[in-house]
Amino acid sequence: MSDDSVPFALPLSSCPAASSEATTLYRELRKPLLRYLICLGLSNDEAQDVVQDVFLTLQRHLASGGSQENIRGWVYRVAHNQARNRQTSYERRFAAPLEAAIDSASEEATPEHTLLEKEKFRLLEQAIRLLRDTERECLLLRAGGLRYREIGEVLGISTSTVADTVERAIKKLAEKCNV
Amino acid sequence: MCDLSAKLVAWLDQELPGSEANDVARHIESCAECKRKLDSYRRVSSLFKAYCESTEEAATGRKLPPWIRTLSYTAAAVAVVVAALVLVLLRLPVEPLPPQAMAPTAPSIAPASDSNRAVAAAASAPVRPSLPTKVRHLRATAPMRYPDADFLPAEPGIQVAIPAEAMFPPGAMPAGVTFTADFSVASDGSVQRLRLQPRLVELQRRSTQP
């Protein structure tokens, strides 16, 4: 399946605007959403399932005339809640070492560089483990390009709390990773 | 400890309102400590992002795991070795065949339409005389068969057996699997229709061993 293909039917002849809006959002958000879900601890298959569900929900939401305000935050919130419902995967993520991520780091680089990069990732992962769930989620959403306001919407916290949480988390990581 | 140091991350994320952002920007110019912190936050942010990408790549398999890449390199190396082997074989001195074998005994096939060309070629195969001597020699040493009906080469082929261990990591293939490389040599000496097929040759041989 190519990244741009839309795997769900869009039987919205009565509402072509909603259909095209859902398709546009799918193309734009599918990849960052997948990355977020995988980083939350879902397997590739689970993440693909969730993304599929989320966009079907979005399609219904738009077709029924739901609000299009902060739609990116809306999409991430639905995805986040679905990931939360798969609690086992969610907890698995930072419970076991993630050698795969570390191993796949910059394999095209020189051995010395790779070693250095792996060491950085190892330190970072240790530091990420020590973060609180909210801190980790804030950073993951921030890495996906979401604004503080959107992050607050996804996690159900205020924008100022997001600012404080992101700042605290980044400081912790910077200190632990010594970068 | 600067008062503004608590706003550095928000400034980095362009989340501060205009006036505050200007204050921080001005402050960073004059405060080495805040500048150092800001650089550190910037580095850890991009490291975090790279880590997320790496995690995703590992999960979705978009970057192939190392052993698969090793495998494809090995397969490429095997293909090169096979090709080299063919070239060497083709350059071996060949004993001249008896004169009657060399002499053309059948006329060339008249131009045939597409629909009956295959039939005509099949009918004429046993008496085709115009094969190069070298290919004839190879055919004598390496008998061949083509199990698939859709794989009927115009020229006789050559088979080279390759043990699975030569191409796959230990344990990746069941014991006794051997691969056969089928290929044909065209009249100009070039290799055509190279194809690898798994065979269970070893199994029989092993079962007869004491």
Side-chain angles (χ1 to χ4, degrees), chain A residues 31 34-35 38-39 42 44 48 93-94 98 100-102 104-108 117 120-121 124-125 128 131 136 139-140 142-143 146-149 159 163 166-167 170-171 173-174 177 179, chain B residues 1 4-16 36-37 39-66 69:
Chain A
K31 277 190 77 162
L34 264 181
R35 178 173 301 165
I38 285 168
C39 289
L42 270 63
N44 184 31
Q48 302 270 8
R93 172 64 176 86
F94 288 96
L98 252 188
I102 295 172
S104 76
S106 49
E107 279 156 346
E108 282 81 28
E117 202 77 347
K120 275 187 188 174
F121 273 8
L124 178 69
E125 192 168 277
I128 292 173
L131 296 178
R136 202 152 51 217
L139 289 189
L140 288 174
R142 172 180 177 265
L146 268 68
R147 310 294 300 166
Y148 287 2
R149 179 177 50 77
T159 307
V166 167
E167 199 228 337
I170 283 290
K171 278 184 176 169
L173 294 190
C177 295
V179 293
Chain B
M1 180 80 176
L4 288 176
S5 73
K7 293 182 178 174
L8 290 176
V9 177
W11 184 83
L12 188 66
D13 291 344
Q14 300 179 347
E15 293 278 357
L16 289 182
R36 192 190 56 75
K37 280 184 182 170
D39 286 344
S40 164
Y41 299 159
R42 199 174 270 148
R43 277 195 298 272
V44 86
S45 298
S46 58
L47 183 65
F48 188 88
K49 209 168 175 179
Y51 177 80
C52 291
E53 284 165 15
S54 181
T55 303
E56 186 205 359
E57 276 164 2
T60 56
R62 271 196 289 122
K63 198 178 265 187
L64 293 174
R69 275 177 291 136

Side-chain angles (χ1 to χ4, degrees), chain A residues 41 61 144:
Chain A
H61 172 77

Side-chain angles (χ1 to χ4, degrees), chain B residues 89-101:
Chain B
L89 284 174
L90 288 175
R91 283 166 198 284
L92 286 178
V94 177
E95 289 173 33
L97 290 173
Q100 64 269 28

Side-chain angles (χ1 to χ4, degrees), chain B residues 3-209:
Chain B
D3 291 346
L4 288 176
S5 73
K7 293 182 178 174
L8 290 176
V9 177
W11 184 83
L12 188 66
D13 291 344
Q14 300 179 347
E15 293 278 357
L16 289 182
S19 58
E20 278 186 65
N22 289 339
D23 289 348
V24 174
R26 234 176 289 123
H27 175 73
I28 292 164
E29 292 299 314
S30 58
C31 180
E33 174 70 8
C34 282
K35 180 134 179 44
R36 192 190 56 75
K37 280 184 182 170
L38 186 71
D39 286 344
S40 164
Y41 299 159
R42 199 174 270 148
R43 277 195 298 272
V44 86
S45 298
S46 58
L47 183 65
F48 188 88
K49 209 168 175 179
Y51 177 80
C52 291
E53 284 165 15
S54 181
T55 303
E56 186 205 359
E57 276 164 2
T60 56
R62 271 196 289 122
K63 198 178 265 187
L64 293 174
W67 71 270
I68 289 190
R69 275 177 291 136
T70 313
L71 189 65
S72 57
Y73 295 151
T74 316
V78 168
V80 167
V81 168
V82 168
L85 198 65
V86 169
L87 287 175
V88 169
L89 284 174
L90 288 175
R91 283 166 198 284
L92 286 178
V94 177
E95 289 173 33
L97 290 173
Q100 64 269 28
M102 296 292 286
T105 54
S108 58
I109 302 158
S113 74
D114 277 349
S115 56
N116 65 15
R117 184 171 293 158
V119 177
S124 69
V127 290
R128 273 184 87 167
S130 57
L131 296 171
T133 331
K134 290 167 182 172
V135 173
R136 189 181 294 272
H137 172 77
L138 286 171
R139 182 171 57 167
T141 58
M144 43 120 347
R145 63 194 168 90
Y146 289 98
D148 298 339
D150 62 344
F151 183 66
L152 287 171
E155 301 285 343
I158 298 161
Q159 291 186 337
V160 176
I162 306 161
E165 300 93 283
M167 291 192 293
F168 295 93
M173 296 297 295
V177 172
T178 294
F179 281 80
T180 310
D182 284 359
F183 50 88
S184 357
V185 181
S187 52
D188 64 354
S190 65
V191 175
Q192 293 177 331
R193 296 165 190 268
L194 180 62
R195 184 174 72 157
L196 273 180
Q197 281 184 294
R199 295 272 160 82
L200 272 169
V201 180
E202 284 292 307
L203 208 58
Q204 273 183 320
R205 198 184 303 160
R206 271 182 204 177
S207 63
T208 59
Q209 281 172 357

